[in-house]
CSV table of all heavy atoms in Angstrom, one decimal:
chain,number,residue,atom,x,y,z
A,216,MET,N,-3.3,23.7,-39.2
A,216,MET,CA,-2.1,22.8,-38.9
A,216,MET,C,-1.5,23.0,-37.6
A,216,MET,O,-1.2,22.1,-36.9
A,216,MET,CB,-1.1,23.0,-40.1
A,216,MET,CG,0.0,21.9,-40.0
A,216,MET,SD,-0.7,20.3,-40.3
A,216,MET,CE,0.4,19.7,-41.5
A,217,LYS,N,-1.4,24.3,-37.2
A,217,LYS,CA,-0.9,24.6,-35.9
A,217,LYS,C,-1.8,24.1,-34.8
A,217,LYS,O,-1.3,23.7,-33.7
A,217,LYS,CB,-0.7,26.1,-35.7
A,217,LYS,CG,0.6,26.7,-36.1
A,217,LYS,CD,0.8,28.1,-35.8
A,217,LYS,CE,2.2,28.6,-35.8
A,217,LYS,NZ,2.4,30.0,-35.4
A,218,LYS,N,-3.1,24.2,-34.9
A,218,LYS,CA,-4.0,23.8,-33.9
A,218,LYS,C,-3.9,22.3,-33.7
A,218,LYS,O,-4.0,21.8,-32.6
A,218,LYS,CB,-5.4,24.2,-34.3
A,218,LYS,CG,-5.7,25.6,-34.2
A,218,LYS,CD,-7.1,26.0,-34.5
A,218,LYS,CE,-7.4,27.4,-34.4
A,218,LYS,NZ,-8.8,27.8,-34.7
A,219,GLN,N,-3.7,21.5,-34.8
A,219,GLN,CA,-3.6,20.1,-34.7
A,219,GLN,C,-2.3,19.7,-33.9
A,219,GLN,O,-2.3,18.8,-33.0
A,219,GLN,CB,-3.5,19.4,-36.0
A,219,GLN,CG,-4.9,19.5,-36.8
A,219,GLN,CD,-4.8,18.9,-38.2
A,219,GLN,OE1,-3.7,18.8,-38.7
A,219,GLN,NE2,-6.0,18.7,-38.8
A,220,LYS,N,-1.2,20.4,-34.2
A,220,LYS,CA,0.1,20.1,-33.5
A,220,LYS,C,-0.1,20.5,-32.0
A,220,LYS,O,0.4,19.7,-31.1
A,220,LYS,CB,1.2,20.9,-34.1
A,220,LYS,CG,1.7,20.4,-35.4
A,220,LYS,CD,2.9,21.1,-35.9
A,220,LYS,CE,3.3,20.6,-37.3
A,220,LYS,NZ,4.5,21.3,-37.8
A,221,LEU,N,-0.7,21.6,-31.7
A,221,LEU,CA,-0.9,22.0,-30.3
A,221,LEU,C,-1.8,21.0,-29.6
A,221,LEU,O,-1.6,20.6,-28.4
A,221,LEU,CB,-1.6,23.4,-30.2
A,221,LEU,CG,-1.8,24.0,-28.9
A,221,LEU,CD1,-0.5,24.1,-28.1
A,221,LEU,CD2,-2.5,25.3,-29.0
A,222,LEU,N,-2.9,20.5,-30.3
A,222,LEU,CA,-3.8,19.5,-29.7
A,222,LEU,C,-3.0,18.2,-29.4
A,222,LEU,O,-3.2,17.6,-28.4
A,222,LEU,CB,-5.0,19.3,-30.6
A,222,LEU,CG,-6.0,18.3,-30.1
A,222,LEU,CD1,-6.7,18.8,-28.8
A,222,LEU,CD2,-7.1,18.1,-31.1
A,223,LEU,N,-2.2,17.8,-30.4
A,223,LEU,CA,-1.5,16.6,-30.2
A,223,LEU,C,-0.5,16.7,-29.1
A,223,LEU,O,-0.4,15.8,-28.2
A,223,LEU,CB,-0.7,16.3,-31.5
A,223,LEU,CG,0.1,15.0,-31.5
A,223,LEU,CD1,-0.8,13.7,-31.3
A,223,LEU,CD2,0.8,14.8,-32.8
A,224,LEU,N,0.2,17.8,-29.0
A,224,LEU,CA,1.1,18.0,-27.9
A,224,LEU,C,0.4,18.0,-26.5
A,224,LEU,O,0.9,17.4,-25.6
A,224,LEU,CB,1.9,19.3,-28.1
A,224,LEU,CG,2.9,19.7,-27.0
A,224,LEU,CD1,4.0,18.7,-27.0
A,224,LEU,CD2,3.5,21.1,-27.3
A,225,THR,N,-0.7,18.7,-26.5
A,225,THR,CA,-1.5,18.7,-25.2
A,225,THR,C,-1.9,17.3,-24.8
A,225,THR,O,-1.9,16.9,-23.7
A,225,THR,CB,-2.7,19.6,-25.4
A,225,THR,OG1,-2.3,20.9,-25.8
A,225,THR,CG2,-3.5,19.7,-24.1
A,226,LEU,N,-2.4,16.5,-25.8
A,226,LEU,CA,-2.8,15.1,-25.5
A,226,LEU,C,-1.6,14.3,-25.0
A,226,LEU,O,-1.8,13.5,-24.1
A,226,LEU,CB,-3.5,14.5,-26.7
A,226,LEU,CG,-4.8,15.0,-27.1
A,226,LEU,CD1,-5.3,14.4,-28.4
A,226,LEU,CD2,-5.8,14.7,-26.0
A,227,LEU,N,-0.5,14.5,-25.6
A,227,LEU,CA,0.7,13.7,-25.2
A,227,LEU,C,1.1,14.1,-23.7
A,227,LEU,O,1.4,13.2,-22.9
A,227,LEU,CB,1.9,14.0,-26.1
A,227,LEU,CG,1.8,13.3,-27.5
A,227,LEU,CD1,2.9,13.7,-28.4
A,227,LEU,CD2,1.8,11.8,-27.3
A,228,VAL,N,1.1,15.4,-23.4
A,228,VAL,CA,1.4,15.8,-22.1
A,228,VAL,C,0.4,15.3,-21.1
A,228,VAL,O,0.8,14.8,-20.0
A,228,VAL,CB,1.5,17.4,-22.0
A,228,VAL,CG1,1.6,17.9,-20.6
A,228,VAL,CG2,2.7,17.9,-22.8
A,229,LEU,N,-0.9,15.4,-21.4
A,229,LEU,CA,-1.9,14.9,-20.5
A,229,LEU,C,-1.8,13.4,-20.3
A,229,LEU,O,-2.0,12.8,-19.2
A,229,LEU,CB,-3.3,15.2,-21.0
A,229,LEU,CG,-3.7,16.7,-20.8
A,229,LEU,CD1,-5.0,17.0,-21.4
A,229,LEU,CD2,-3.7,17.1,-19.3
A,230,SER,N,-1.5,12.6,-21.3
A,230,SER,CA,-1.3,11.2,-21.2
A,230,SER,C,-0.1,10.9,-20.3
A,230,SER,O,-0.2,9.9,-19.5
A,230,SER,CB,-1.0,10.6,-22.6
A,230,SER,OG,-2.2,10.8,-23.4
A,231,ALA,N,1.0,11.6,-20.5
A,231,ALA,CA,2.2,11.4,-19.6
A,231,ALA,C,1.8,11.7,-18.1
A,231,ALA,O,2.3,10.9,-17.3
A,231,ALA,CB,3.3,12.3,-20.1
A,232,VAL,N,1.1,12.7,-17.9
A,232,VAL,CA,0.7,13.0,-16.5
A,232,VAL,C,-0.2,11.9,-15.9
A,232,VAL,O,0.0,11.5,-14.8
A,232,VAL,CB,0.0,14.4,-16.5
A,232,VAL,CG1,-0.7,14.7,-15.1
A,232,VAL,CG2,0.9,15.5,-16.8
A,233,VAL,N,-1.2,11.4,-16.7
A,233,VAL,CA,-2.1,10.4,-16.2
A,233,VAL,C,-1.3,9.1,-15.9
A,233,VAL,O,-1.5,8.5,-14.9
A,233,VAL,CB,-3.2,10.1,-17.2
A,233,VAL,CG1,-3.9,8.9,-16.9
A,233,VAL,CG2,-4.1,11.3,-17.3
A,234,VAL,N,-0.4,8.7,-16.8
A,234,VAL,CA,0.4,7.5,-16.6
A,234,VAL,C,1.3,7.7,-15.3
A,234,VAL,O,1.5,6.8,-14.5
A,234,VAL,CB,1.2,7.2,-17.8
A,234,VAL,CG1,2.3,6.1,-17.5
A,234,VAL,CG2,0.3,6.8,-18.9
A,235,GLY,N,1.9,8.9,-15.2
A,235,GLY,CA,2.7,9.2,-14.0
A,235,GLY,C,2.0,9.2,-12.7
A,235,GLY,O,2.5,8.7,-11.7
A,236,VAL,N,0.8,9.7,-12.7
A,236,VAL,CA,0.0,9.7,-11.5
A,236,VAL,C,-0.5,8.3,-11.1
A,236,VAL,O,-0.5,8.0,-9.9
A,236,VAL,CB,-1.2,10.7,-11.6
A,236,VAL,CG1,-2.1,10.6,-10.4
A,236,VAL,CG2,-0.6,12.1,-11.7
A,237,SER,N,-0.9,7.6,-12.1
A,237,SER,CA,-1.5,6.3,-11.8
A,237,SER,C,-0.5,5.1,-11.8
A,237,SER,O,-0.9,4.0,-11.6
A,237,SER,CB,-2.6,5.9,-12.8
A,237,SER,OG,-2.1,5.8,-14.1
A,238,GLY,N,0.8,5.5,-12.0
A,238,GLY,CA,1.8,4.4,-12.0
A,238,GLY,C,2.1,3.9,-10.7
A,238,GLY,O,1.7,4.4,-9.6
A,239,CYS,N,2.8,2.8,-10.6
A,239,CYS,CA,3.1,2.1,-9.4
A,239,CYS,C,4.6,1.7,-9.4
A,239,CYS,O,5.1,1.3,-10.4
A,239,CYS,CB,2.2,0.9,-9.2
A,239,CYS,SG,2.6,0.0,-7.7
A,240,LYS,N,5.3,1.9,-8.3
A,240,LYS,CA,6.7,1.5,-8.2
A,240,LYS,C,6.9,0.8,-6.9
A,240,LYS,O,6.3,1.2,-5.9
A,240,LYS,CB,7.6,2.7,-8.4
A,240,LYS,CG,7.6,3.7,-7.4
A,240,LYS,CD,8.6,4.8,-7.6
A,240,LYS,CE,8.5,5.9,-6.6
A,240,LYS,NZ,9.5,6.9,-6.8
A,241,ALA,N,7.8,-0.2,-6.9
A,241,ALA,CA,8.1,-0.9,-5.7
A,241,ALA,C,9.5,-1.4,-5.7
A,241,ALA,O,9.9,-2.0,-6.8
A,241,ALA,CB,7.1,-2.1,-5.5
A,242,TRP,N,10.2,-1.2,-4.7
A,242,TRP,CA,11.6,-1.8,-4.5
A,242,TRP,C,11.6,-2.5,-3.2
A,242,TRP,O,11.1,-2.0,-2.2
A,242,TRP,CB,12.6,-0.7,-4.5
A,242,TRP,CG,12.9,0.0,-5.8
A,242,TRP,CD1,13.8,-0.5,-6.7
A,242,TRP,CD2,12.3,1.1,-6.4
A,242,TRP,NE1,13.8,0.4,-7.8
A,242,TRP,CE2,12.9,1.3,-7.6
A,242,TRP,CE3,11.3,2.0,-5.9
A,242,TRP,CZ2,12.5,2.4,-8.4
A,242,TRP,CZ3,10.9,3.0,-6.7
A,242,TRP,CH2,11.5,3.2,-8.0
A,243,ARG,N,12.3,-3.6,-3.2
A,243,ARG,CA,12.5,-4.3,-1.9
A,243,ARG,C,13.8,-5.2,-2.1
A,243,ARG,O,13.8,-6.1,-2.9
A,243,ARG,CB,11.3,-5.2,-1.6
A,243,ARG,CG,11.5,-5.9,-0.3
A,243,ARG,CD,10.3,-6.7,0.1
A,243,ARG,NE,10.5,-7.3,1.4
A,243,ARG,CZ,9.7,-7.4,2.4
A,243,ARG,NH1,8.5,-6.8,2.2
A,243,ARG,NH2,9.9,-8.0,3.5
A,244,THR,N,14.8,-4.8,-1.3
A,244,THR,CA,16.0,-5.6,-1.3
A,244,THR,C,16.4,-5.8,0.1
A,244,THR,O,16.6,-4.9,0.9
A,244,THR,CB,17.1,-4.8,-2.0
A,244,THR,OG1,16.8,-4.5,-3.3
A,244,THR,CG2,18.5,-5.5,-2.0
A,245,ILE,N,16.4,-7.0,0.5
A,245,ILE,CA,16.8,-7.4,1.9
A,245,ILE,C,17.9,-8.5,1.8
A,245,ILE,O,17.7,-9.5,1.3
A,245,ILE,CB,15.6,-7.9,2.7
A,245,ILE,CG1,14.5,-6.8,2.8
A,245,ILE,CG2,16.0,-8.4,4.1
A,245,ILE,CD1,13.2,-7.3,3.4
A,246,SER,N,19.0,-8.2,2.4
A,246,SER,CA,20.1,-9.1,2.4
A,246,SER,C,20.7,-9.2,3.8
A,246,SER,O,21.0,-8.2,4.4
A,246,SER,CB,21.3,-8.6,1.5
A,246,SER,OG,20.8,-8.5,0.2
A,247,THR,N,20.7,-10.4,4.4
A,247,THR,CA,21.2,-10.6,5.7
A,247,THR,C,22.1,-11.8,5.8
A,247,THR,O,21.8,-12.9,5.3
A,247,THR,CB,20.0,-10.8,6.7
A,247,THR,OG1,19.1,-9.7,6.5
A,247,THR,CG2,20.4,-10.9,8.1
A,248,THR,N,23.3,-11.6,6.3
A,248,THR,CA,24.2,-12.7,6.5
A,248,THR,C,24.8,-12.6,7.9
A,248,THR,O,25.2,-11.5,8.3
A,248,THR,CB,25.4,-12.5,5.5
A,248,THR,OG1,24.8,-12.6,4.2
A,248,THR,CG2,26.4,-13.7,5.6
A,249,ALA,N,24.8,-13.6,8.6
A,249,ALA,CA,25.4,-13.7,10.0
A,249,ALA,C,26.2,-14.9,10.2
A,249,ALA,O,25.7,-16.0,10.0
A,249,ALA,CB,24.3,-13.6,11.0
A,250,THR,N,27.5,-14.8,10.5
A,250,THR,CA,28.4,-15.9,10.8
A,250,THR,C,29.1,-15.6,12.1
A,250,THR,O,29.8,-14.5,12.2
A,250,THR,CB,29.3,-16.1,9.7
A,250,THR,OG1,28.6,-16.3,8.5
A,250,THR,CG2,30.2,-17.3,9.9
A,251,TYR,N,29.1,-16.4,13.0
A,251,TYR,CA,29.9,-16.3,14.2
A,251,TYR,C,30.4,-17.6,14.7
A,251,TYR,O,29.7,-18.5,15.0
A,251,TYR,CB,29.0,-15.7,15.3
A,251,TYR,CG,29.7,-15.4,16.6
A,251,TYR,CD1,30.4,-14.2,16.7
A,251,TYR,CD2,29.6,-16.3,17.7
A,251,TYR,CE1,31.1,-13.9,17.9
A,251,TYR,CE2,30.3,-16.0,18.8
A,251,TYR,CZ,31.1,-14.8,19.0
A,251,TYR,OH,31.7,-14.5,20.1
A,252,VAL,N,31.8,-17.7,14.8
A,252,VAL,CA,32.4,-18.9,15.2
A,252,VAL,C,33.5,-18.4,16.2
A,252,VAL,O,34.3,-17.6,15.9
A,252,VAL,CB,33.1,-19.6,14.0
A,252,VAL,CG1,33.9,-20.8,14.6
A,252,VAL,CG2,32.1,-20.1,13.0
A,253,SER,N,33.5,-19.0,17.4
A,253,SER,CA,34.4,-18.7,18.4
A,253,SER,C,34.9,-20.0,19.0
A,253,SER,O,34.2,-20.9,19.3
A,253,SER,CB,33.8,-17.8,19.5
A,253,SER,OG,34.7,-17.5,20.4
A,254,GLN,N,36.3,-20.1,19.2
A,254,GLN,CA,36.9,-21.2,19.8
A,254,GLN,C,38.0,-20.8,20.7
A,254,GLN,O,38.8,-20.0,20.4
A,254,GLN,CB,37.5,-22.1,18.7
A,254,GLN,CG,37.7,-23.5,19.0
A,254,GLN,CD,38.2,-24.3,17.8
A,254,GLN,OE1,38.4,-23.8,16.8
A,254,GLN,NE2,38.2,-25.7,18.0
A,255,ASN,N,38.0,-21.3,21.9
A,255,ASN,CA,38.9,-20.8,23.0
A,255,ASN,C,40.3,-21.5,22.9
A,255,ASN,O,41.3,-20.8,23.1
A,255,ASN,CB,38.3,-21.0,24.3
A,255,ASN,CG,37.1,-20.0,24.5
A,255,ASN,OD1,37.0,-19.0,23.9
A,255,ASN,ND2,36.2,-20.5,25.4
A,256,ASP,N,40.4,-22.8,22.7
A,256,ASP,CA,41.6,-23.5,22.9
A,256,ASP,C,42.6,-23.1,21.8
A,256,ASP,O,43.8,-22.8,22.1
A,256,ASP,CB,41.4,-25.0,22.9
A,256,ASP,CG,40.7,-25.5,24.1
A,256,ASP,OD1,40.6,-24.7,25.1
A,256,ASP,OD2,40.1,-26.6,24.1
A,257,SER,N,42.2,-23.1,20.6
A,257,SER,CA,43.2,-22.8,19.5
A,257,SER,C,42.9,-21.3,18.9
A,257,SER,O,43.5,-21.0,17.9
A,257,SER,CB,43.0,-23.8,18.4
A,257,SER,OG,41.7,-23.7,17.8
A,258,THR,N,42.1,-20.6,19.6
A,258,THR,CA,41.9,-19.2,19.3
A,258,THR,C,41.4,-19.0,17.8
A,258,THR,O,42.0,-18.4,17.0
A,258,THR,CB,43.1,-18.3,19.5
A,258,THR,OG1,43.8,-18.6,20.7
A,258,THR,CG2,42.8,-16.8,19.5
A,259,LYS,N,40.3,-19.6,17.5
A,259,LYS,CA,39.6,-19.5,16.2
A,259,LYS,C,38.5,-18.5,16.4
A,259,LYS,O,37.5,-18.7,17.1
A,259,LYS,CB,39.1,-20.8,15.7
A,259,LYS,CG,38.5,-20.8,14.4
A,259,LYS,CD,38.1,-22.2,13.9
A,259,LYS,CE,37.5,-22.1,12.6
A,259,LYS,NZ,37.0,-23.5,12.2
A,260,THR,N,38.5,-17.4,15.6
A,260,THR,CA,37.4,-16.4,15.7
A,260,THR,C,37.0,-16.0,14.3
A,260,THR,O,37.9,-15.7,13.5
A,260,THR,CB,37.9,-15.2,16.4
A,260,THR,OG1,38.3,-15.6,17.7
A,260,THR,CG2,36.8,-14.2,16.5
A,261,THR,N,35.8,-16.2,13.9
A,261,THR,CA,35.2,-15.8,12.7
A,261,THR,C,34.0,-15.0,12.9
A,261,THR,O,33.1,-15.4,13.6
A,261,THR,CB,34.9,-17.0,11.8
A,261,THR,OG1,36.1,-17.8,11.6
A,261,THR,CG2,34.4,-16.6,10.4
A,262,GLU,N,33.9,-13.8,12.4
A,262,GLU,CA,32.8,-12.9,12.5
A,262,GLU,C,32.4,-12.3,11.2
A,262,GLU,O,33.2,-11.8,10.5
A,262,GLU,CB,33.1,-11.7,13.5
A,262,GLU,CG,33.4,-12.2,14.9
A,262,GLU,CD,33.7,-11.0,15.8
A,262,GLU,OE1,33.1,-9.9,15.6
A,262,GLU,OE2,34.5,-11.2,16.7
A,263,THR,N,31.1,-12.4,10.8
A,263,THR,CA,30.6,-11.9,9.6
A,263,THR,C,29.2,-11.4,9.8
A,263,THR,O,28.4,-12.2,10.2
A,263,THR,CB,30.6,-12.9,8.4
A,263,THR,OG1,31.9,-13.4,8.3
A,263,THR,CG2,30.1,-12.3,7.2
A,264,ILE,N,29.1,-10.1,9.7
A,264,ILE,CA,27.7,-9.5,9.8
A,264,ILE,C,27.5,-8.6,8.6
A,264,ILE,O,28.2,-7.6,8.4
A,264,ILE,CB,27.6,-8.7,11.1
A,264,ILE,CG1,27.7,-9.6,12.3
A,264,ILE,CG2,26.2,-8.0,11.1
A,264,ILE,CD1,27.7,-8.9,13.6
A,265,THR,N,26.5,-8.9,7.8
A,265,THR,CA,26.2,-8.1,6.6
A,265,THR,C,24.7,-7.9,6.5
A,265,THR,O,24.0,-8.9,6.6
A,265,THR,CB,26.7,-8.8,5.3
A,265,THR,OG1,28.1,-9.2,5.4
A,265,THR,CG2,26.4,-8.0,4.1
A,266,THR,N,24.3,-6.7,6.4
A,266,THR,CA,22.9,-6.4,6.3
A,266,THR,C,22.7,-5.3,5.3
A,266,THR,O,23.5,-4.3,5.2
A,266,THR,CB,22.3,-6.1,7.6
A,266,THR,OG1,20.9,-5.9,7.5
A,266,THR,CG2,22.9,-4.9,8.3
A,267,LYS,N,21.6,-5.4,4.5
A,267,LYS,CA,21.2,-4.3,3.6
A,267,LYS,C,19.7,-4.3,3.5
A,267,LYS,O,19.1,-5.4,3.2
A,267,LYS,CB,21.9,-4.6,2.2
A,267,LYS,CG,21.5,-3.5,1.2
A,267,LYS,CD,22.2,-3.8,-0.1
A,267,LYS,CE,21.9,-2.7,-1.2
A,267,LYS,NZ,22.5,-3.0,-2.4
A,268,THR,N,19.1,-3.2,3.6
A,268,THR,CA,17.6,-3.1,3.6
A,268,THR,C,17.3,-1.9,2.8
A,268,THR,O,17.6,-0.8,3.1
A,268,THR,CB,17.1,-2.9,5.0
A,268,THR,OG1,17.5,-4.1,5.8
A,268,THR,CG2,15.5,-2.9,5.0
A,269,VAL,N,16.6,-2.1,1.7
A,269,VAL,CA,16.0,-1.0,0.8
A,269,VAL,C,14.6,-1.4,0.6
A,269,VAL,O,14.3,-2.4,0.0
A,269,VAL,CB,16.8,-0.9,-0.5
A,269,VAL,CG1,16.2,0.1,-1.4
A,269,VAL,CG2,18.3,-0.6,-0.2
A,270,GLU,N,13.7,-0.5,1.0
A,270,GLU,CA,12.3,-0.7,0.7
A,270,GLU,C,11.6,0.6,0.4
A,270,GLU,O,11.8,1.6,1.0
A,270,GLU,CB,11.6,-1.2,2.0
A,270,GLU,CG,12.0,-2.6,2.4
A,270,GLU,CD,11.2,-3.2,3.5
A,270,GLU,OE1,10.5,-2.4,4.2
A,270,GLU,OE2,11.3,-4.4,3.8
A,271,GLU,N,10.9,0.6,-0.7
A,271,GLU,CA,10.2,1.8,-1.2
A,271,GLU,C,8.9,1.3,-1.9
A,271,GLU,O,9.0,0.5,-2.8
A,271,GLU,CB,11.0,2.6,-2.1
A,271,GLU,CG,10.3,3.9,-2.6
A,271,GLU,CD,11.2,4.8,-3.4
A,271,GLU,OE1,12.5,4.7,-3.3
A,271,GLU,OE2,10.7,5.6,-4.2
A,272,TYR,N,7.8,1.8,-1.5
A,272,TYR,CA,6.5,1.4,-2.1
A,272,TYR,C,5.8,2.7,-2.5
A,272,TYR,O,5.8,3.7,-1.8
A,272,TYR,CB,5.7,0.6,-1.1
A,272,TYR,CG,6.4,-0.6,-0.6
A,272,TYR,CD1,7.1,-0.6,0.6
A,272,TYR,CD2,6.4,-1.8,-1.4
A,272,TYR,CE1,7.7,-1.8,1.1
A,272,TYR,CE2,7.0,-2.9,-0.9
A,272,TYR,CZ,7.7,-2.9,0.3
A,272,TYR,OH,8.3,-4.0,0.7
A,273,GLN,N,5.1,2.6,-3.5
A,273,GLN,CA,4.2,3.6,-3.9
A,273,GLN,C,2.9,3.0,-4.5
A,273,GLN,O,3.0,2.2,-5.5
A,273,GLN,CB,4.8,4.6,-5.0
A,273,GLN,CG,3.8,5.7,-5.5
A,273,GLN,CD,4.5,6.6,-6.5
A,273,GLN,OE1,5.7,6.6,-6.6
A,273,GLN,NE2,3.7,7.2,-7.3
A,274,GLY,N,1.8,3.2,-3.9
A,274,GLY,CA,0.6,2.6,-4.3
A,274,GLY,C,-0.2,3.3,-5.3
A,274,GLY,O,0.2,4.4,-5.8
A,275,VAL,N,-1.3,2.8,-5.7
A,275,VAL,CA,-2.2,3.4,-6.7
A,275,VAL,C,-3.4,3.8,-6.0
A,275,VAL,O,-4.0,3.1,-5.2
A,275,VAL,CB,-2.5,2.3,-7.8
A,275,VAL,CG1,-3.5,2.9,-8.8
A,275,VAL,CG2,-1.2,1.9,-8.5
A,276,LYS,N,-3.9,5.0,-6.3
A,276,LYS,CA,-5.1,5.5,-5.8
A,276,LYS,C,-6.3,4.7,-6.3
A,276,LYS,O,-6.5,4.5,-7.5
A,276,LYS,CB,-5.2,7.0,-6.1
A,276,LYS,CG,-6.4,7.7,-5.5
A,276,LYS,CD,-6.5,9.2,-5.8
A,276,LYS,CE,-7.6,9.8,-5.2
A,276,LYS,NZ,-7.7,11.2,-5.6
A,277,LYS,N,-7.1,4.3,-5.3
A,277,LYS,CA,-8.3,3.5,-5.7
A,277,LYS,C,-9.3,4.5,-6.3
A,277,LYS,O,-9.5,5.6,-5.9
A,277,LYS,CB,-8.9,2.9,-4.5
A,277,LYS,CG,-8.1,1.8,-3.9
A,277,LYS,CD,-8.8,1.1,-2.8
A,277,LYS,CE,-7.9,0.0,-2.2
A,277,LYS,NZ,-8.6,-0.7,-1.1
A,278,ARG,N,-10.1,3.9,-7.3
A,278,ARG,CA,-11.1,4.8,-8.0
A,278,ARG,C,-12.4,4.4,-7.6
A,278,ARG,O,-12.7,3.3,-7.2
A,278,ARG,CB,-10.9,4.6,-9.5
A,278,ARG,CG,-9.6,5.1,-9.9
A,278,ARG,CD,-9.5,5.0,-11.4
A,278,ARG,NE,-8.1,5.4,-11.8
A,278,ARG,CZ,-7.8,5.6,-13.1
A,278,ARG,NH1,-8.6,5.5,-14.0
A,278,ARG,NH2,-6.6,6.0,-13.3
């Protein structure tokens, strides 16, 4: 009975390792906003600059 539990635990750990190694993850978030308005006579000025860049890639090893 102990050998079966040990074998099952070993198989579960190995399965988790295989899935973790061969897994793939990817993130990509790109947000860009630009607004610029300028007016000289009535002094109207509007400025908006917003940028956010998050990129992370992890590929899968070819077999």
Side-chain angles (χ1 to χ4, degrees):
M216 190 63 133
K217 268 188 165 180
K218 289 183 181 182
Q219 289 176 346
K220 287 183 180 180
L221 182 61
L222 181 62
L223 181 61
L224 180 63
T225 305
L226 288 175
L227 286 174
V228 170
L229 287 176
S230 298
V232 169
V233 168
V234 169
V236 171
S237 65
C239 180
K240 64 179 180 179
W242 286 270
R243 184 174 178 137
T244 302
I245 298 174
S246 299
T247 303
T248 303
T250 303
Y251 183 80
V252 176
S253 182
Q254 198 173 11
N255 292 333
D256 292 343
S257 64
T258 317
K259 182 179 181 182
T260 303
T261 302
E262 297 179 31
T263 303
I264 297 174
T265 305
T266 183
K267 181 179 181 179
T268 303
V269 176
E270 291 184 351
E271 183 175 336
Y272 302 99
Q273 180 179 339
V275 176
K276 185 177 179 182
K277 292 183 180 180
R278 295 180 185 193

